[in-house]
Amino acid sequence: MSAPRFFCEIPLAAGTRVPLPDALAHHALRVLRLRDGEALTLFNGRGGEYPAVLEVEGKAGYARLGDFSPREAELAGSVTLVQGLPSGDKMDWVVEKAVELGAARVCPVAAQRSVLQLSGLRLEKRVAHWQRIAQSASEQCGRNRLMAVDAPRTLAEWLAQPEAGLRLMCHPEAQDDLAARLRSAPGLQALTLLVGPEGGWSDRELALAREAGVQAVRFGPRVLRTETAGLALLSAASALLGW
């Protein structure tokens, strides 16, 4: 059984003894019930990881770090998922699975047809919640770099930001399919996939995307739910690109 992995947002160095942050120590000692002398792995999101040994002193926990391991589990290219905000807690699922599938960033978009609308303190809490999900998913799946989760914005606001690489918008009536479009972009290093919410993108949003150079692609003969479509595209694209 592999050692439990923890994201630890402090400087880490081989051969040192570091105090575990309170929340991490609570999870390790009270939730997982790890004992003094047990093995664990720490990473701080800057790449690589450190095998460590847990040292318990009262309610406090410390990690005795071993040699740095440069192990990575990232895709060969960068994939950003721009996800129209779905209803309920579906975004939780999208964030978690996007981490597992290797996405570098998830950009929630408050689309015109999004049922979920967030603002103020509720927005801040939801973004922090998604970022915690991304952290937990990284711990579980073996990634040593955290996937970024942006605060929601409108599609027009997102399109106004500079983006590198190929940008593809999922649309069932598009002329080209995903595989054909990717074949036309040899040597691609950065890919952005745009998926609408329930009900899809509005005509205005489709027009804005076209004007910004986003290319529409279709993906199979079936209609996928919004929380499925982006993840399926991400998985298929990384396989087609050999990432």
Side-chain angles (χ1 to χ4, degrees), residues 20 22 41 64 66 76 90 94 101-102 107 110 113 118 127 129 132 166 170 202 204-205 223 233 237 240:
L20 299 181
D22 291 344
T41 299
R64 181 76 62 178
K90 294 174 185 175
V94 171
L101 292 170
C107 305
R113 293 176 180 169
L118 301 169
V127 173
H129 172 67
R132 287 193 297 272
L166 180 64
C170 186
S202 69
R204 175 59 178 157
E205 288 169 328
V223 177
L233 282 166
L240 288 166

Side-chain angles (χ1 to χ4, degrees), residues 5-10 12 24 41-49 71-75 77-81 95-107 127-150:
R5 289 166 35 84
F6 299 97
F7 172 68
C8 188
E9 198 173 9
I10 60 175
L12 302 174
L24 194 162
T41 299
L42 299 184
F43 67 101
N44 58 13
R46 300 170 191 170
E49 62 189 20
R71 190 192 68 82
E72 294 289 355
E74 301 302 300
L75 297 180
S78 174
V79 181
T80 296
L81 175 60
V95 168
E96 180 181 81
K97 302 310 171 186
V99 171
E100 293 178 20
L101 292 170
R105 180 178 297 273
V106 166
C107 305
V127 173
H129 172 67
W130 292 331
Q131 290 169 342
R132 287 193 297 272
I133 289 175
Q135 174 185 318
S136 178
S138 291
E139 292 173 341
Q140 181 275 325
C141 76
R143 291 182 67 176
N144 286 323
R145 298 180 187 272
L146 296 186
M147 182 187 78
V149 183
D150 294 345

Side-chain angles (χ1 to χ4, degrees), residues 52-72:
V53 175
L54 178 65
E55 297 181 355
V56 181
E57 296 181 4
K59 295 182 179 180
Y62 299 83
R64 181 76 62 178
L65 302 180
D67 292 336
F68 173 73
S69 168
R71 190 192 68 82
E72 294 289 355

Side-chain angles (χ1 to χ4, degrees), residues 78-182:
S78 174
V79 181
T80 296
L81 175 60
V82 178
Q83 172 70 53
L85 276 175
S87 60
D89 60 359
K90 294 174 185 175
M91 195 68 193
D92 293 8
W93 164 270
V94 171
V95 168
E96 180 181 81
K97 302 310 171 186
V99 171
E100 293 178 20
L101 292 170
R105 180 178 297 273
V106 166
C107 305
V109 164
Q112 292 182 6
R113 293 176 180 169
S114 288
V115 175
L116 181 65
Q117 298 293 334
L118 301 169
S119 61
L121 184 59
R122 186 165 174 245
L123 169 61
E124 294 177 10
K125 289 183 176 180
R126 190 64 66 93
V127 173
H129 172 67
W130 292 331
Q131 290 169 342
R132 287 193 297 272
I133 289 175
Q135 174 185 318
S136 178
S138 291
E139 292 173 341
Q140 181 275 325
C141 76
R143 291 182 67 176
N144 286 323
R145 298 180 187 272
L146 296 186
M147 182 187 78
V149 183
D150 294 345
R153 66 187 81 177
T154 67
L155 182 62
E157 289 170 336
W158 182 83
L159 290 169
Q161 306 299 310
E163 287 288 332
L166 180 64
R167 298 186 295 176
L168 301 178
M169 173 177 276
C170 186
H171 192 282
E173 298 176 7
Q175 184 175 12
D176 292 333
D177 65 15
L178 176 69
R181 184 58 68 185
L182 293 178

